[in-house]
Amino acid sequence: MNQTADDAPRDLHHPLILSSRVIGAPVFDREGNRLGHVDDLSIEKASGKTVYAIMSFGGFLGIGAKLHPVPWPLLDYNLERGGYTVPLTAEILKDAPNYDAAEVRMLGGPDHRVYGETIYGYYGTYGAVPYW
């Protein structure tokens, strides 16, 4: 059976999603206020498990935005909004661990547990538990 992209089934309820559809997806608080968007994903090499959604938050037109590694289990996909919902608010994210682009690349480096302890230490209040 040969299907083109235009006539492929559009089942939005399936359990898998391509990373290309996650990157750029909006992120909302529970009340529906847009907080930012998913800028990247941090994936554990050995297991393939997504550990963090790197969320871009703040700034104007991408300038001055901060990158927040949010533990992946805190994100819930919301079909109606076409994006993710988190149990966080803009005020919570202002104080959350955030990094510049160079530091984000270090999340999987030799000091990944130091970064992880900081990130999960902050988000543990909201239900996130360390992935290790």
Side-chain angles (χ1 to χ4, degrees), residues 26-131:
V27 179
F28 303 91
D29 65 16
R30 288 185 174 154
E31 284 71 46
N33 301 306
R34 186 178 172 140
L35 299 172
H37 69 274
V38 177
D39 191 71
D40 210 341
L41 301 173
S42 181
I43 302 168
E44 188 177 47
K45 288 180 186 179
S47 70
K49 179 180 178 179
T50 302
V51 177
Y52 305 115
I54 308 300
M55 191 176 139
S56 181
F57 171 71
F60 180 71
L61 299 175
I63 299 169
K66 296 180 180 183
L67 299 175
H68 296 260
V70 177
W72 183 252
L74 293 184
L75 283 82
D76 288 317
Y77 192 74
N78 184 303
L79 281 172
E80 290 77 36
R81 293 187 180 132
Y84 292 89
T85 301
V86 293
L88 310 168
T89 63
E91 197 61 37
I92 291 167
L93 284 170
K94 284 180 186 174
D95 295 327
N98 63 81
Y99 307 96
D100 63 26
E103 276 188 302
V104 165
R105 288 191 288 278
M106 298 305 297
L107 291 178
D111 293 330
H112 72 96
R113 290 289 284 269
V114 174
Y115 284 103
E117 288 173 8
T118 300
I119 295 163
Y120 283 96
Y122 186 82
Y123 289 110
T125 304
Y126 307 99
V129 295
Y131 70 95

